[in-house]
Amino acid sequence: MDAVERANAEKQKRWVKDQKVGEGTYAVVYRGREAATGRRVAIKKIKIGQFKDGLDMSAIREVKYLRELHHQNVIGLLDVFSSKTNLNLVLEFLDSDLEMIIKDRSLVFLPADIKSWMAMTIRGLEFCHRNFILHRDLKPNNLLVASDGQLKIADFGLARDFADPGYKMTSQVITRWYRPPELLFGCRYYSSAVDIWSVGCIFAELMLRTPYLPGETDMDQLRTIFRALGTPTEEEWPGYTKLPDYIPVGQFPKTPLRDLFTAASGDALNLLSRCLIYEPRRRITAIEALHHPYFTGLPYPTHPSKLPRPASRASRPLEEVDGNVDMVDSGPGVKAVASNRLKRKLSSPMDGVRPLARRLDFTQHKGS
Amino acid sequence: MTAEPSETHSNSPPGKAPLYEASTQFKSWRYSPKRLRHVRQTLNAAAVAAIRKTLEADEPGSSTSVSFLQPDDELLLVKLYTTKIPQLCGHFRFPEEVEATAISYLKRFYLKNTVMDWHPKNVMLTALFLATKTTNNPISLDSYTSNIPKTSQSDVLDLEFLVAQSLNFEFAVWHAHRALWGLWLDLQSLPDVTESLRPLEVYETALKHVRVSRFTDAELIYAPSQIALAALSLVSPFLCQKWLDSKMPSDPIAAESHRQILEQTNSEIENMIMQHGQPPDVEAAREVDRRLKLCKNPEKVVGSKAYLTRRAEEERRAEEKRNKKAQDIRKTSEGEDPFGSQLAGSQESQSVDDDDDD
């Protein structure tokens, strides 16, 4: 056996898969542990054999960036190894995510709790931006929360390096509700400001406990944004009507954020409004946001360990499996029976199920 | 700086380490010249021993007449294929980043593997294809292989995993040409360096030196910024001085010691570029390739006896594993509701079979 193969085999032995917790078209996620220490991990097995172009881009991006990024508020990639035609990513095990927490109606959020989650989100994001990396898919469901309350940015499947000036990027990134207007208008030159818009939407969602700008189509998304924040004027956002996919979606008046966010502090609203500035160049940056008075003013952010946590796992109900998730099957022997046509529920309790891949959207926690 | 690269030479205050020092490149892919030689010798010796053993097992006495490759022979052949990457990239019009990344991958690969196991031709093709993806410039495998003569899709894909593994899945590479661009931007902001003092040809010639440096070991020994500075200094010692002046600490003693170190590394890198940057002698490389045909690892030669033996052994093990898996499943599924009692979490404690047949 070659040295490289041997090293790989040793890595493989280091980790034990305990339980399959979800399966999508491209990946299977297991709950696992480190053999020697028992430390809990999540193992994401990406099936490479299916891709005609070899290792697929989202796997490559995720591995590339997580290999480089080491920060308390960015999910840790502990190891990577291959097995036959699969790529295995060993990730930090994280109990829950911000979407679950927001939707858990039994939890009460204090302003200090929201501040703590925001601080951790922006700290993680500032670290990405400092490393010249755009995340391009920030949403509550990609902000995972560890058992000690630390929030970690996950899913770097759409991430990329900052482009050089004049280099075109795709505008088809970021989940619609969190997508900034410049991308909806087809802007191909953009920067870290796109992530900041998403952060603004997440901030609003934490306060409202429901998605702030839930558009039904890309067009409707623009309308939803303008209805909430007013149609931008040429002065507010110079030149936006010249963007490639510009389309007028109607004139809406500006309403003060205060009308909707009745309980928010002045500092909170100021930070929110600066994340949601139309002109991307005027939008607050991550480092500026960290220095915003909101974070230094009272109340101080809640210590991560004291943050609200979702109800105990045992009591969480089983979820109907989302359409793009296959059944957990126990191998060839029973495959014929447990076929997709039988609309079975996910066969394992949802404990510790983490949305690790974009395509693994099995945490559709519909208001439990 | 030529001694063992140490983690301590950074003068930055704690917590303020340069981003570069957090990179996998800094942590995993820097060597001293001595270490580099050692790695290559060790790999070469191990490969020779293994192949000798295989040959002897096949036919006793057969290895004595074989002229195995020496570390320098391997290096020569790798270098030949390194120089093919810019040609291919020109053909495909890939950006410079793809080219530089592919070259780094190829070099890094042969710090974990030997030419006698894996011929650089296919490794080069795979490294380049992988680099298009890791630098976010993907093209389809189909259009990639159809534009390279006598190349099948499997020539590229079969090794992709091995290459990725050998790189330890560390795909991000910091490049000297980026550093050079940074130096050039810096120079443009220096008040006393007027436009006439920094003609664009300086940058362009320095960039050529950076490109030449890719055919040397420079990137495995020095930081991208060191290579860039040396390339600049080769073209314009004056601009190099200007840039250094602007970065030096105000303390004259510290400045002097920095300057001495940098001048030392500059001259070392300049030597590498001038002496080792030439394309390899094709005739010599061809000769190595001829010898390689006789000494390459038979276990990796499709159809050879050693290859078949190895395959049979692998197949036997896989079969064993499959049988065991099937048995386990039979055991667990016996007497179970066909719709599965798993919902109750009955399999909770059972370990997942680690097999990857799916």
Side-chain angles (χ1 to χ4, degrees):
Chain A
M1 205 190 258
D2 300 348
V4 171
E5 283 175 37
R6 204 161 41 234
N8 185 66
E10 269 159 30
K11 281 196 212 171
Q12 194 169 350
K13 266 188 232 139
R14 220 183 123 191
W15 309 103
V16 184
K17 289 172 185 153
D18 279 329
Q19 187 183 19
K20 193 182 272 192
V21 289
E23 174 159 12
T25 321
Y26 302 98
V28 185
V29 180
Y30 298 88
R31 202 177 55 196
R33 68 195 134 87
E34 185 171 26
T37 64
R39 168 165 64 151
R40 294 218 288 170
V41 297
I43 301 177
K44 178 163 154 184
K45 185 169 92 180
I46 301 168
K47 305 172 192 169
I48 299 303
Q50 311 196 336
F51 301 108
K52 67 173 178 52
D53 292 329
L55 285 168
D56 89 308
M57 287 297 291
S58 72
I60 280 183
R61 288 184 178 126
E62 183 139 31
V63 172
K64 177 182 174 185
Y65 295 117
L66 290 183
R67 267 292 196 214
E68 304 294 318
L69 296 174
H70 302 283
H71 189 273
Q72 193 173 28
N73 301 117
V74 174
I75 191 171
L77 174 63
L78 307 172
D79 212 346
V80 186
F81 62 88
S82 50
S83 46
K84 284 189 195 161
T85 58
N86 297 316
L87 183 64
N88 293 268
L89 313 189
V90 183
L91 295 152
E92 258 180 293
F93 183 85
L94 300 161
D95 294 294
S96 55
D97 65 65
L98 214 49
E99 187 188 19
M100 271 163 73
I101 294 172
I102 289 170
K103 287 186 171 169
D104 188 333
R105 290 283 149 200
S106 67
L107 301 178
V108 177
F109 296 177
L110 300 173
D113 300 337
I114 296 175
K115 191 176 289 191
S116 181
W117 283 315
M118 286 303 292
M120 291 188 282
T121 304
I122 300 178
R123 247 186 246 140
L125 183 62
E126 190 277 325
F127 184 73
C128 297
H129 289 174
R130 200 190 324 156
N131 281 278
F132 308 105
I133 294 164
L134 305 177
H135 184 279
R136 304 199 300 181
D137 198 16
L138 288 179
K139 52 181 171 180
N141 172 284
N142 281 340
L143 301 176
L144 308 190
V145 179
S147 53
D148 64 357
Q150 283 290 343
L151 178 150
K152 289 163 200 269
I153 298 179
D155 197 345
F156 282 70
L158 277 172
R160 65 157 294 149
D161 295 303
F162 286 18
D164 279 339
Y167 184 93
K168 272 189 182 176
M169 292 178 275
T170 171
S171 56
Q172 297 301 313
V173 289
I174 305 185
T175 304
R176 190 190 302 123
W177 298 349
Y178 306 90
R179 198 183 300 157
E182 66 268 27
L183 293 184
L184 292 161
F185 282 137
C187 190
R188 306 290 301 275
Y189 308 100
Y190 54 86
S191 186
S192 49
V194 296
D195 287 335
I196 295 293
W197 180 276
S198 310
V199 166
C201 297
I202 295 163
F203 191 11
E205 188 166 336
L206 280 167
M207 295 193 266
L208 298 170
R209 300 294 293 265
T210 183
Y212 176 43
L213 302 168
E216 277 164 20
T217 61
D218 287 1
M219 260 288 271
D220 185 55
Q221 185 64 34
L222 279 165
R223 210 174 298 118
T224 308
I225 292 171
F226 291 174
R227 207 180 291 125
L229 299 165
T231 305
T233 62
E234 179 67 19
E235 194 194 22
E236 269 181 296
W237 189 4
Y240 82 96
T241 53
K242 305 286 188 301
L243 287 171
D245 302 337
Y246 172 75
I247 185 159
V249 290
Q251 286 297 320
F252 297 94
K254 218 164 284 304
T255 44
L257 288 175
R258 171 64 68 208
D259 292 1
L260 184 59
F261 301 90
T262 45
S265 72
D267 282 340
L269 285 190
N270 182 277
L271 177 59
L272 176 63
S273 67
R274 294 181 63 191
C275 292
L276 298 175
I277 289 176
Y278 281 124
E279 157 69 282
R281 277 167 291 199
R282 289 188 204 145
R283 224 169 273 157
I284 197 167
T285 64
I287 187 83
E288 285 165 0
L290 287 179
H291 289 101
H292 191 278
Y294 169 68
F295 289 114
T296 43
L298 289 171
Y300 294 139
T302 308
H303 190 273
S305 63
K306 303 261 167 27
L307 285 167
R309 313 196 18 79
S312 80
R313 287 179 219 130
S315 67
R316 209 180 312 147
L318 284 167
E319 305 284 335
E320 192 91 51
V321 176
D322 194 12
N324 62 356
V325 176
D326 299 333
M327 219 63 56
V328 173
D329 71 72
S330 344
V334 291
K335 205 161 194 168
V337 178
S339 98
N340 280 352
R341 283 174 294 113
L342 302 169
K343 297 243 185 282
R344 236 173 36 155
K345 294 193 170 189
L346 192 66
S347 56
S348 54
M350 290 293 285
D351 49 346
V353 174
R354 300 296 340 108
L356 287 157
R358 254 175 316 120
R359 300 179 189 91
L360 275 175
D361 226 3
F362 44 67
T363 43
Q364 299 289 309
H365 299 270
K366 305 201 175 65
S368 39
Chain B
M1 299 291 279
T2 49
E4 294 288 333
S6 72
E7 305 282 330
T8 51
H9 72 258
S10 164
N11 294 314
S12 324
K16 289 278 178 189
L19 287 178
Y20 172 67
E21 293 182 13
S23 69
T24 50
Q25 176 158 330
F26 182 85
K27 291 179 199 159
S28 326
W29 302 100
R30 281 179 326 137
Y31 302 78
S32 65
K34 198 173 134 211
R35 177 91 199 133
L36 212 46
R37 256 193 315 278
H38 175 75
V39 167
R40 287 172 175 149
Q41 270 160 2
T42 312
L43 273 171
N44 176 272
V48 169
I51 297 167
R52 202 183 283 281
K53 204 173 140 202
T54 315
L55 290 175
E56 290 293 324
D58 192 25
E59 191 188 337
S62 61
S63 76
T64 44
S65 61
V66 176
S67 147
F68 290 101
L69 299 194
Q70 297 299 306
D72 283 347
D73 298 329
E74 294 200 37
L75 205 52
L76 182 73
L77 206 57
V78 173
K79 192 174 171 185
L80 178 73
Y81 283 95
T82 309
T83 61
K84 304 235 185 242
I85 290 175
Q87 294 169 19
L88 273 173
C89 289
H91 176 72
F92 283 104
R93 298 176 188 228
F94 287 147
E96 180 132 32
E97 200 194 355
V98 174
E99 180 176 326
T101 304
I103 290 176
S104 299
Y105 287 177
L106 187 60
K107 285 190 210 164
R108 291 178 181 186
F109 180 87
Y110 285 107
L111 294 173
K112 305 283 175 193
N113 300 279
T114 115
V115 165
M116 287 180 277
D117 280 347
W118 309 105
H119 196 284
K121 179 178 177 273
N122 285 0
V123 176
M124 181 270 287
L125 292 174
T126 307
L128 179 54
F129 184 64
L130 188 58
T132 63
K133 292 191 276 184
T134 59
T135 60
N136 211 8
N137 295 284
I139 70 166
S140 78
L141 182 62
D142 199 32
S143 52
Y144 182 69
T145 51
S146 59
N147 276 292
I148 307 172
K150 286 184 279 182
T151 302
S152 71
Q153 302 208 342
S154 71
D155 285 340
V156 177
L157 276 202
D158 287 356
L159 291 182
E160 192 177 42
F161 243 43
L162 179 73
V163 172
Q165 261 173 30
S166 302
L167 299 173
N168 199 20
F169 300 99
E170 293 167 349
F171 295 136
V173 184
W174 295 56
H175 296 298
H177 70 272
R178 301 291 298 170
L180 180 66
W181 181 241
L183 288 182
W184 194 246
L185 294 177
D186 279 355
L187 285 171
Q188 290 174 29
S189 64
L190 293 184
D192 55 339
V193 180
T194 56
E195 213 171 332
S196 60
L197 289 174
R198 43 173 174 82
L200 194 60
E201 298 91 82
V202 172
Y203 170 74
E204 285 166 349
T205 316
L207 183 57
K208 280 188 189 133
H209 288 309
V210 165
R211 287 178 181 148
V212 168
S213 81
R214 291 187 196 136
F215 305 135
T216 73
D217 284 337
E219 65 178 292
L220 300 169
I221 300 168
Y222 303 98
S225 54
Q226 291 174 312
I227 299 170
L229 191 65
L232 178 67
S233 145
L234 264 177
V235 189
S236 171
F238 166 75
L239 286 176
C240 179
Q241 273 313 320
K242 281 287 172 199
W243 186 83
L244 280 178
D245 290 345
S246 76
K247 296 287 174 185
M248 282 301 163
S250 50
D251 172 14
I253 298 167
E256 188 46 36
S257 99
H258 279 305
R259 201 181 290 277
Q260 274 175 10
I261 293 169
L262 281 167
E263 275 162 12
Q264 170 73 21
T265 37
N266 266 1
S267 78
E268 285 164 12
I269 298 169
E270 286 166 21
N271 277 339
M272 287 187 116
I273 293 175
M274 300 317 278
Q275 288 171 15
H276 303 288
Q278 285 77 28
D281 176 22
V282 177
E283 218 20 75
R286 206 169 281 164
E287 175 57 29
V288 170
D289 207 12
R290 245 192 304 274
R291 280 166 55 209
L292 178 57
K293 287 202 174 61
L294 300 171
C295 68
K296 69 179 161 192
N297 190 346
E299 286 189 348
K300 321 261 179 199
V301 180
V302 179
S304 77
K305 196 169 157 192
Y307 175 87
L308 294 173
T309 315
R310 188 185 152 107
R311 267 307 171 82
E313 172 62 18
E314 279 172 4
E315 188 44 45
R316 191 189 58 76
R317 256 189 257 141
E319 178 70 27
E320 226 168 56
K321 216 172 167 186
R322 269 197 298 276
N323 288 339
K324 188 178 171 294
K325 191 175 180 178
Q327 226 167 28
D328 287 353
I329 287 158
R330 227 171 293 129
K331 242 183 274 167
T332 48
S333 60
E334 261 165 28
E336 250 181 35
D337 182 342
F339 290 91
S341 58
Q342 300 174 47
L343 277 176
S346 63
Q347 293 204 326
E348 181 74 46
S349 60
Q350 195 188 325
S351 208
V352 167
D353 184 359
D354 209 9
D355 206 351
D356 281 302
D357 293 329
D358 40 3

